[in-house]
Amino acid sequence: VQLQASGGGLVQAGGSLRLSCAASERTNAMAWFRQAPGKEREYVAGFKGGSTYYADSMKGRGTISRDNAKNTVNLQMNNLKPEDTAVYFCAASNSVITSAIRLARSYGYWGQGTLVTVSS
């Protein structure tokens, strides 16, 4: 499975960005992770089957959606904060279990990162 992420950029605090990830084929689960300099990669949002999941840091500010016809997953992020600055990665899996859905090691397919910079 090949993943192509896009949509990063520079935005002021309080602004919005929409990230997109196009997959070469449909998978059971897809997710967005992010990694800030000097920090571990962390879960942002994703879905498995028909269910969506969010990190506490993104609840209320982010909406993840999927276009099955295009094998694309989108992440709309609103009210962005400087602490959201990171490289965002798209990930996919056909075998992730729900209890481990927020773990990076549960995903076997990764796209290249897209940089999101939020200025204060």
Side-chain angles (χ1 to χ4, degrees), residues 1-119:
V1 179
Q2 295 181 331
L3 305 173
Q4 180 70 40
S6 62
L10 173 64
V11 64
Q12 289 186 332
S16 300
L17 277 177
R18 181 181 175 89
L19 305 182
S20 293
C21 178
S24 59
E25 59 187 82
R26 185 171 177 174
T27 57
N28 179 256
M30 293 185 73
W32 285 97
F33 286 77
R34 67 187 182 188
Q35 189 165 17
K39 295 187 177 181
E40 293 186 354
R41 192 167 297 191
E42 64 175 5
Y43 185 85
V44 178
F47 66 85
K48 176 176 179 289
S51 298
T52 57
Y53 304 85
Y54 295 92
D56 289 343
S57 61
M58 193 52 62
K59 284 181 181 177
R61 301 190 297 127
T63 302
I64 192 164
S65 61
R66 185 179 193 181
D67 185 334
N68 289 328
K70 297 180 180 179
N71 289 335
T72 300
V73 61
N74 303 305
L75 177 64
Q76 176 69 39
M77 300 186 293
N78 302 318
N79 190 23
L80 284 163
K81 306 173 182 180
E83 51 263 43
D84 293 316
T85 295
V87 177
Y88 285 68
F89 296 91
C90 177
S93 173
N94 281 315
S95 59
V96 64
I97 60 175
T98 303
S99 61
I101 203 166
R102 293 177 176 82
L103 301 178
R105 65 174 182 265
S106 296
Y107 297 83
Y109 306 104
W110 291 85
Q112 89 291 359
T114 185
L115 178 62
V116 172
T117 304
V118 184
S119 62

